């Protein structure tokens, strides 16, 4: 299975070598994945440092790939630009988001009053 | 959505991931539907369908406690059904007497933002223990019997569900295995219509609202659904989320498709309401006031209109403002590492 967030992990772990899988983009989003373009300097340092030092959680032996992926997850869990810049998928591919759907599906007495 | 279909719809619970029509003599082998409800062999327009979800998430970052409040709406009250909600820690289940969602919608409408901005012991009681499954609690919550479960074996969990009236179709096996590997807990909610309703056949029924409370270091939404066979459906589906917490959050999830896996924001962010404590209390009423964390609170609205969630994992809400993670915080968040990257092994042994 390809891991499209690996570019993020690799950006975080610039010292890592041997990219484990080819980079690719998600089919569902024509926009580039900004998370993959986050400079390492903007990533949470402690997660990065811990990952670089191989201090992932748990006693399981971890490959470089796993360390990178785990660090990327922690960087995402830390929040900030990585999360904010992810592509949105709130509707089906090829289907526009319908701003009026809630009103269409809500009984009149439950609808919000006009603002 | 036409009215005929609306009357046939069963909008049920939770991101609910696994919904199961009750197995029994009334039911033929189940046919899975797009939304994760498993229904008898009915015409597509007659199958129970998860069409509408309304959820209030209240998260106390200081204590790491989440209150997951969900409205369950269904029209076919005479039909039995059930669903399972996974949680990252042992949950408690509570009835919410008055649904807060009408008031929340009026007080905190979604209003999409421009793109780029971002009763215990009732019934038969707990069934005998099954190997690999622990029944931690059984209680009556409204029209449901709620079983709180822990499981260390996916097959045992599937067997328990089947033995207790929850249909567990083949496509649910991978779903169950996923959460067993994560060491999650489960709330299995079995709808038990009053005998008078069941005898009367399908009747309209008011929504019921449930609250599931559990420990979670970040707000969590059980969004993953069993991959169901394709069924023709053009019916809309809507998830509305109101999130209450101290700081703004961004919902994230992993999506796996033909090209691989990528993180996405699975919900559209709507209007946000800073300094909202008083308005929340005014809208949600006293029954929820005890759930609110101390300090300043903001409310965010989100919507999701995907009809199918194939390939999407569970949703974790991460801070909009990033910051370094302490080693202690990393340890606390370890639960969610495999949620956001299922290919990573779960760190440590699952102890229970």
């Amino acid at each position: 299975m390809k891991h499209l967030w690996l570019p993020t992990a690799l950006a975080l772990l610039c010292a890592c070598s041997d990219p484990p899988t080819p980079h690719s983009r998600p089919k569902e989003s024509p926009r580039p994945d900004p998370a993959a373009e986050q400079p390492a300097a903007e990533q949470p340092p402690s997660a990065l440092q811990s990952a670089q030092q191989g201090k992932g959680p748990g006693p399981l032996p971890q490959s470089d790939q796993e360390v990178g992926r785990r660090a990327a997850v922690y960087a995402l869990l830390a929040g900030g630009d990585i999360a904010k810049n992810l592509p949105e998928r709130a509707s089906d591919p090829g289907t526009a988001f319908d701003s009026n759907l809630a009103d269409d599906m809500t009984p009149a007495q439950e609808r919000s009053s006009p603002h | 959505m036409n009215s005929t279909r609306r009357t046939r719809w069963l909008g049920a619970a939770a991101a609910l991931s696994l919904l199961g029509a009750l197995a029994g003599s009334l039911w033929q082998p189940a046919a899975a539907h797009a939304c994760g409800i498993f229904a008898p062999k009915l015409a597509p327009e007659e199958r129970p369908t998860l069409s509408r979800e309304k959820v209030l998430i209240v998260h106390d970052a200081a204590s790491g406690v989440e209150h997951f409040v969900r409205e369950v709406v269904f029209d076919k009250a005479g039909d039995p059904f059930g669903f399972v909600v996974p949680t990252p820690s042992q949950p408690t289940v509570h009835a919410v007497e008055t649904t807060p969602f009408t008031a929340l919608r009026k007080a905190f409408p979604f209003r999409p933002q421009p793109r780029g901005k971002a009763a215990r012991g009732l019934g038969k009681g707990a069934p005998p223990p099954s190997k690999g499954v622990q029944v931690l609690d059984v209680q009556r919550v409204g029209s449901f019997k709620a079983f709180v479960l822990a499981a260390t074996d996916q097959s045992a969990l599937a067997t328990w569900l089947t033995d207790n009236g929850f249909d567990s179709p083949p496509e649910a096996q991978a779903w169950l295995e996923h959460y067993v590997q994560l060491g999650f807990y489960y709330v299995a909610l079995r709808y038990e219509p009053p005998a008078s309703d069941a005898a009367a056949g399908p009747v309209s029924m008011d929504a019921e609202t449930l609250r599931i409370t559990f420990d979670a270091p970040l707000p969590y939404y059980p969004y993953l659904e069993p991959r169901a066979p394709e069924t023709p459906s053009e019916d809309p589906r809507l998830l509305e989320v109101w999130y209450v917490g101290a700081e703004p959050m961004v919902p994230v999830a992993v999506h796996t498709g033909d090209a691989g896996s990528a993180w996405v924001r699975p919900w559209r962010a709507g209007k946000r309401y800073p300094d909202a404590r008083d308005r929340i209390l005014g809208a949600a009423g006293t029954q929820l006031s005890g759930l609110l964390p101390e300090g300043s609170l903001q409310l965010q609205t989100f919507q999701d209109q995907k009809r199918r969630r194939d390939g999407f994992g569970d949703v974790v809400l991460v801070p909009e403002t990033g910051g370094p993670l302490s080693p202690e915080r990393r340890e606390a968040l370890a639960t969610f590492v495999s949620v956001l990257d299922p290919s990573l092994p779960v760190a440590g042994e699952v102890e229970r």
Side-chain angles (χ1 to χ4, degrees), chain A residues 4 46 88-90 98 105, chain B residues 52 261 268 305-306 325:
Chain A
L4 301 180
S46 62
E88 180 191 284
R89 277 287 308 273
D98 179 0
M105 295 181 70
Chain B
R52 192 70 184 273
S261 297
R268 170 74 57 90
Q305 300 182 359
K306 288 186 287 293
L325 297 176

Side-chain angles (χ1 to χ4, degrees), chain A residues 2-5 28 46 55 66 69-70 74 78-80 86-90 92 98-99 105-106 109-110, chain B residues 52 54 106 112 254-255 259 261 264-266 268 304-307 319-320 322-323 325 330 341 343-345:
Chain A
K2 299 174 183 176
H3 295 282
L4 301 180
W5 58 78
E28 64 274 11
S46 62
K55 295 180 179 176
E66 184 181 324
R69 293 209 308 272
R70 202 173 285 275
Y74 278 114
L86 291 175
E88 180 191 284
R89 277 287 308 273
D92 295 315
D98 179 0
S99 298
M105 295 181 70
T106 303
Q109 65 271 23
E110 291 185 28
Chain B
R52 192 70 184 273
K54 303 171 190 173
K106 289 180 177 175
V254 64
H255 176 253
S261 297
V264 298
R265 290 179 294 123
R268 170 74 57 90
D304 173 31
Q305 300 182 359
K306 288 186 287 293
R307 292 177 174 84
E320 185 174 277
L325 297 176
R330 284 171 56 91
D341 185 347
S343 68
L344 285 172

Side-chain angles (χ1 to χ4, degrees), chain A residues 9-89:
Chain A
L10 295 172
L12 287 168
L13 303 171
C14 52
C16 284
S17 59
D18 300 331
T21 61
H23 298 179
S24 56
R25 301 287 187 193
K27 270 188 177 177
E28 64 274 11
S29 173
R31 292 176 290 172
D33 180 2
E37 300 167 6
Q38 293 295 315
E42 294 183 9
Q43 311 309 322
S46 62
L48 172 59
Q49 290 165 1
S50 297
Q52 286 174 326
Q53 294 164 11
K55 295 180 179 176
L60 297 173
Q62 299 180 52
S63 67
D64 287 348
Q65 295 179 15
E66 184 181 324
V67 169
R69 293 209 308 272
R70 202 173 285 275
V73 177
Y74 278 114
L76 177 64
L77 288 168
D81 288 342
I82 291 178
K84 288 191 291 185
N85 292 328
L86 291 175
E88 180 191 284
R89 277 287 308 273

Side-chain angles (χ1 to χ4, degrees), chain B residues 171-222:
Chain B
E171 58 267 24
Q173 302 309 305
W175 185 89
L176 294 173
E177 183 178 10
H178 170 75
Y179 288 108
V180 167
Q181 288 181 346
L182 288 174
F184 274 32
Y185 291 76
Y186 312 86
V187 179
L189 289 150
R190 188 172 70 194
Y191 175 62
E192 296 183 347
S196 56
D197 287 356
V203 293
S204 180
M205 180 175 175
D206 290 336
E208 292 194 23
T209 304
L210 308 173
R211 171 167 63 89
I212 301 173
T213 295
F214 50 88
D215 291 340
L218 287 172
Y220 164 81
Y221 190 102

Side-chain angles (χ1 to χ4, degrees), chain B residues 111-309:
Chain B
R111 284 197 276 173
Q113 300 301 289
R115 298 294 297 272
K117 283 185 180 178
R120 195 177 180 88
L122 292 178
K124 295 180 179 177
S130 302
K131 181 184 178 184
V133 178
Q134 287 180 274
V135 180
L136 303 170
D137 191 27
V138 184
Q139 66 182 111
R140 183 86 177 181
V141 182
S143 299
F144 294 87
K145 179 173 282 187
F147 304 87
V148 175
L149 308 174
T152 55
D153 181 85
Q154 164 252 324
S155 297
L157 179 57
T159 300
W160 187 95
L161 290 170
T162 300
D163 290 347
N164 287 272
F166 294 82
D167 183 42
S168 183
E171 58 267 24
Q173 302 309 305
W175 185 89
L176 294 173
E177 183 178 10
H178 170 75
Y179 288 108
V180 167
Q181 288 181 346
L182 288 174
F184 274 32
Y185 291 76
Y186 312 86
V187 179
L189 289 150
R190 188 172 70 194
Y191 175 62
E192 296 183 347
S196 56
D197 287 356
V203 293
S204 180
M205 180 175 175
D206 290 336
E208 292 194 23
T209 304
L210 308 173
R211 171 167 63 89
I212 301 173
T213 295
F214 50 88
D215 291 340
L218 287 172
Y220 164 81
Y221 190 102
Y223 192 74
L224 174 70
E225 293 182 339
R227 187 179 291 268
E230 291 279 355
T231 54
S233 174
E234 296 181 355
D235 296 319
R237 183 180 184 186
L238 176 64
L239 164 63
E240 297 173 279
V241 178
W242 289 264
Y243 168 71
V244 174
E247 62 175 314
M249 308 295 275
V250 181
V252 301
V254 64
H255 176 253
T256 302
D258 293 339
S261 297
W263 288 319
V264 298
R265 290 179 294 123
W267 303 338
R268 170 74 57 90
K271 184 174 174 59
R272 63 177 60 183
Y273 300 85
D275 300 322
R277 174 181 288 278
D278 290 343
R279 292 183 68 184
I280 295 168
L281 288 173
T286 55
Q287 63 178 339
L288 297 180
S289 62
L291 308 182
L292 300 182
E294 299 291 330
S296 178
L297 294 175
Q298 57 93 50
L299 184 147
Q300 291 171 268
T301 58
F302 300 97
Q303 280 192 10
D304 173 31
Q305 300 182 359
K306 288 186 287 293
R307 292 177 174 84
R308 294 179 64 96
R309 297 176 183 172

